[in-house]
Amino acid sequence: MGYAQLVIGPAGSGKSTYCSSLHQHCETVGRTIHIVNLDPAAENFDYPVAMDIRELISLDDVMEELGLGPNGGLIYCMEHLEENLDDWLSEELDNYLDDDYLVFDCPGQIELFSHVPVLKNFVEHLKRKNFNVCVVYLLDSQFITDVTKFISGCMASLSAMVQLELPHVNILSKMDLVRNKRDLEKYLNPEPTTLLAELNRRMAPQFEKLNKSLIELVDQYSMVSFLPLDLRKESSIQYILSQIDNCIQYGEDADVKIKDFDPDDD
């Protein structure tokens, strides 16, 4: 069985930086992971690229040959990837062993994980290839300055959760850039009643029923739980990784094998 993280989130939320830091951390602790670039518009990388969608198709070529803009061109590229899941992707995945760990660095266009079925079909293909997959959703902590933006971020993450139907780990990225972390503490594990009261204070009275429904929805799906990521701290990266590993059951097979073949049991 293989293991995979699907790293998604809005543009600029720090997905590639997360992948780079994760790779450096795993190198430090003697663990092997493989980073896959799924962004056809990417140019520079701070990590070794194990697989690259640009070997299949690139955004620059699509924009030049078809006259599409950046967003339309990117959707075209991802749909082309979808059409080549059984060919290009399967061929690339065959280069890895059953217990390899892949991290997919995805583009930031929200359409890809809200309503366009490309990533859903992509993860379904991974599951058919016997991969355990977890979605890692990054939200820029500097974006969370008030309750309305927090709810907006939760709704976008919930949209991805419903669309992809996978285990989900939500991360507040760029915590190392936040000057006053106390302002964000109430959003890391907030009380629904507190969120509702603050939301009602900021919005007109006619939205109170809508606010109540939104808060109940967020609370029902446990979307108010975000993990802070401070890339300056190895302990922060390790904690995030352990939560993801738990979601995809990474290492559990190894534990079973060790126990099954323990020489002390002979």
Side-chain angles (χ1 to χ4, degrees):
M1 176 173 289
Y3 305 91
Q5 295 183 28
L6 192 72
V7 183
I8 64 174
S13 58
K15 297 181 294 297
S16 294
T17 303
Y18 163 81
C19 291
S20 174
S21 299
L22 188 63
H23 183 269
Q24 292 174 13
H25 171 78
C26 288
E27 269 195 331
T28 301
V29 300
R31 176 173 166 180
T32 301
I33 65 171
H34 308 280
I35 313 292
V36 179
N37 172 48
L38 284 187
D39 187 351
E43 296 180 352
N44 301 311
F45 302 96
D46 292 328
Y47 54 78
V49 181
M51 293 164 50
D52 193 345
I53 188 178
R54 296 176 305 167
E55 295 176 0
L56 175 68
I57 190 169
S58 74
L59 179 61
D60 287 342
D61 291 343
V62 168
M63 290 175 62
E64 182 178 345
E65 293 177 16
L66 300 180
L68 296 174
N71 287 332
L74 189 136
I75 296 297
Y76 180 91
C77 290
M78 299 306 289
E79 288 176 344
H80 184 71
L81 170 64
E82 183 181 9
E83 294 170 358
N84 286 272
L85 293 178
D86 292 325
D87 298 320
W88 180 79
L89 183 62
S90 292
E91 203 173 294
E92 292 289 332
L93 291 176
D94 287 343
N95 295 322
Y96 297 93
L97 302 174
D98 288 342
D99 58 349
D100 275 338
Y101 197 114
L102 305 182
V103 179
F104 293 90
D105 186 4
C106 298
Q109 271 66 15
I110 195 170
E111 304 98 309
L112 295 175
F113 47 86
S114 61
H115 60 277
V116 175
V118 172
L119 286 184
K120 179 176 176 61
N121 293 330
F122 179 85
V123 297
E124 289 297 329
H125 184 82
L126 289 179
K127 288 193 284 187
R128 287 194 297 271
K129 288 291 186 179
N130 207 27
F131 275 85
N132 275 0
V133 189
C134 175
V135 172
V136 180
Y137 185 92
L138 270 68
L139 188 64
D140 188 344
S141 58
Q142 298 182 94
F143 175 80
I144 307 299
T145 55
D146 59 57
V147 67
T148 55
K149 292 182 178 179
F150 174 75
I151 295 298
S152 174
C154 285
M155 291 295 103
S157 180
L158 179 57
S159 175
M161 177 183 287
V162 172
Q163 170 81 352
L164 299 175
E165 299 179 338
L166 288 171
H168 224 72
V169 174
N170 298 294
I171 295 174
L172 279 184
S173 62
K174 304 184 183 180
M175 288 294 291
D176 48 309
L177 302 179
V178 176
R179 294 183 178 179
N180 190 359
K181 290 183 172 55
R182 289 184 179 180
D183 292 341
L184 293 181
E185 286 179 0
K186 59 185 176 182
Y187 298 123
L188 293 178
N189 193 20
E191 290 291 332
T193 52
T194 304
L195 285 179
L196 181 58
E198 187 174 345
L199 199 57
N200 285 335
R201 283 198 301 270
R202 288 182 170 270
M203 299 183 69
Q206 62 263 35
F207 294 112
E208 287 186 0
K209 287 185 178 180
L210 174 62
N211 294 342
K212 186 174 184 294
S213 297
L214 285 173
I215 297 298
E216 288 176 349
L217 180 64
V218 169
D219 185 45
Q220 179 181 352
Y221 282 86
S222 300
M223 289 299 302
V224 293
S225 178
F226 279 84
L227 301 176
L229 176 60
D230 188 337
L231 294 179
R232 297 172 303 181
K233 301 176 181 178
E234 288 292 319
S235 58
S236 178
I237 301 173
Q238 179 56 44
Y239 180 73
I240 295 287
L241 184 58
S242 67
Q243 296 299 306
I244 297 168
D245 288 346
N246 184 57
C247 284
I248 57 178
Q249 300 175 316
Y250 175 77
E252 290 188 8
D253 290 341
D255 290 341
V256 171
K257 291 176 184 177
I258 291 171
K259 291 175 184 177
D260 285 349
F261 297 99
D262 193 341
D264 293 337
D265 293 339
D266 294 341

